[in-house]
Amino acid sequence: MNKNHLNGHDYKTLALAALGGALEFYDFIIFIFFAAVIGELFFPPDIPDWLRQLQTFAIFAAGYLARPLGGLIMAHFGDRQGRKKMFTLSILLMALPTLAMGLLPGYSSVGIIAPLLLLLLRMLQGAAIGGEVPGAWVFVAEHVPEKRTGLACGILTAGLTFGILLGSLVASLLTSSLSSQAIAQGGWRIPFLLGGVFGLLAMYLRRWLHETPVFTAMQQHKALSAELPLKTVLVHHGRSVLLSMLLTWLLSACIVVILLMAPGLLQKLWHLPAAMTLQANTLATLMLIVGCVLAGALTDRLGAARVLLVGCLLLALSSWTFFQVAARAPQHLFVAWAVVGLCVGVVGVVPAVMVRAFPPEVRFSGISFTYNIAYAVFGGLTPIVITLLLNLTPLAPACYVLALSIMGMIIGGGLQFCARRKASVAA
C-alpha cells in the first residue's frame, strides 16, 4: 500500500477527531450566545446591568485563563502516558461540565452558590479545550503518513471551526423559534444539554481509536522524555517556541478580528444592519472551513513555507479590501467577507508547522505550551489593541490584520530560506 496516501483507518481517525473537536468547541463557545439570559439568572437581580454583564463575561473569560494550565497538565501526561488517554479525557472533561451547566439551579434557588458553580464548570471547560486542540493536532499528525500531515491538521482545524459555526446556528435557531420568556424559563438549557450528551457520545466513539504509532514506537524503544517534557521544551527548543507563538498570534488574531469582532465592528463603525453582518459572517465561517482544508492539502504538495508566504499575501490584500468594502460599498459585503474568510484559512498551515517544530518525545508539551499561552495573551489583547487603535482610525482592524499578515509572510520566507539551506548542506 502507498504510505503517502490516507487509508480507511486514517479517514476514520480524522473523522472521529474532527467530530470530537467540533463538539468541544461548540460546548466552549455556546456560553457566549446566551450570556445575557445567564447573567439575569445567575446573579442578584438588584445589581446594575453593567455589573451583571461584567461578571458574566468574567466567567466566560475564566475559561480562557484556565486553558494554559489544563493544557500543560494534559500535555505532560500525553507525552508520558500516551496521546489517546488524554485525547479521551479532554472530551470527557468538556462534556460533563457542559451537561452540568444545563442542569444548574439559578441564583433564586441557591444564591451565591449558583455563580460559583458556574465559574468552576467554566474553568473545567477551559482546561479541557486547552488539552483538546494541541492533543488533537498531535494525535492525527502521528497517525497519518508524514506527507499527509498538512491535510490531516487542516481537516481537524476545519472541524474546530465548524464547532463555532454549529454554536451560532443552534443559538440562532433557538432564539428565532422560542420567545424571550421561553428561553429564560428553560430554553437556554437546551444547547448545553445537547452539547453534553453529544460530547459523551463522541467520547464513546473515541474508544475505537488506537494509540498513535509514533508514541507506541517511543514506548517500545524507551525513547520517552527522561526529563520533565516542559523543561526540555524551554531549555532546548527556544526557537520552536518563538516560531509557534508567533504563528499562534497570527491564527488567533485573524479569527478574533475577521470572525468574532467584525460583525459588531461593522454595525458600530458603518451602521450596517445586524442581520446582514451575521449572515455574511456565517458565509465567511463556511469559507474558512474550506480554506483550512485547502491550505492543509497545499502544504503537503507545496510545503508550509510557500503556502504561508502566498497565503498571508492574499490575506493582507483580502482583509484590507474587506474593510474598504464595508465602509464604502456594503452591497458587496457578502463577496468580500467570503473571500477574506477563505484567505483566513491560511491558519490551517499553523498546526502542521508546529507539529514538525518539536520532536515526538516533547511534541504535545511543546505545542500545548506555545499555543495556549500565546492564545491566552494575544487572543485576550487583540480586542483591547483594536479598541485603542480605533481612536486613531476606523481602519484599525484592517491595519492590525495587515501587520500580522506581513509577519506571516516574513515567517514563511524564513522557513523557505532555512529549508533551502538545509537541502544545500545535505547535498
Side-chain angles (χ1 to χ4, degrees), residues 31 38 41-42 59 96-110 113-122 184-186 188-189 192-193:
F31 183 101
I38 288 172
L41 295 173
F42 283 84
I59 288 181
L96 290 180
T98 305
L99 189 63
M101 280 183 178
L103 299 172
L104 272 184
Y107 187 89
S108 61
S109 299
V110 294
I113 295 176
L116 291 178
L117 286 176
L118 188 64
L119 175 62
L120 174 63
L121 295 175
R122 183 62 188 167
Q185 289 177 345
W188 69 270
R189 299 181 184 274
F192 290 94
L193 297 175

Side-chain angles (χ1 to χ4, degrees), residues 316-380:
L317 296 173
S318 62
S319 60
W320 185 265
T321 302
F322 163 64
F323 284 103
Q324 293 286 346
V325 166
R328 301 178 181 181
Q331 66 271 23
H332 302 302
L333 182 68
F334 280 79
V335 174
W337 214 335
V339 172
V340 74
L342 181 67
C343 293
V344 171
V346 70
V347 301
V349 178
V350 171
V353 175
M354 294 171 69
V355 163
R356 290 165 179 157
F358 296 97
E361 60 269 18
V362 295
R363 180 173 287 155
F364 199 161
S365 294
I367 296 177
S368 183
F369 173 77
T370 55
Y371 174 80
N372 283 309
I373 294 294
Y375 207 110
V377 172
F378 297 122

Side-chain angles (χ1 to χ4, degrees), residues 115-186:
L116 291 178
L117 286 176
L118 188 64
L119 175 62
L120 174 63
L121 295 175
R122 183 62 188 167
M123 293 184 72
L124 288 174
Q125 283 189 323
I129 206 73
E132 167 68 17
V133 178
W137 283 335
V138 171
F139 192 84
V140 298
E142 291 185 353
H143 262 291
V144 302
E146 186 176 356
K147 292 188 176 181
R148 290 294 177 266
T149 301
L151 177 61
C153 290
I155 290 175
L156 185 61
T157 306
L160 300 177
T161 306
F162 181 75
I164 300 175
L165 178 63
L166 183 62
S168 176
L169 293 175
V170 168
S172 298
L173 179 63
L174 280 175
T175 52
S176 62
S177 57
L178 297 177
S179 66
S180 299
Q181 184 179 7
I183 290 177
Q185 289 177 345

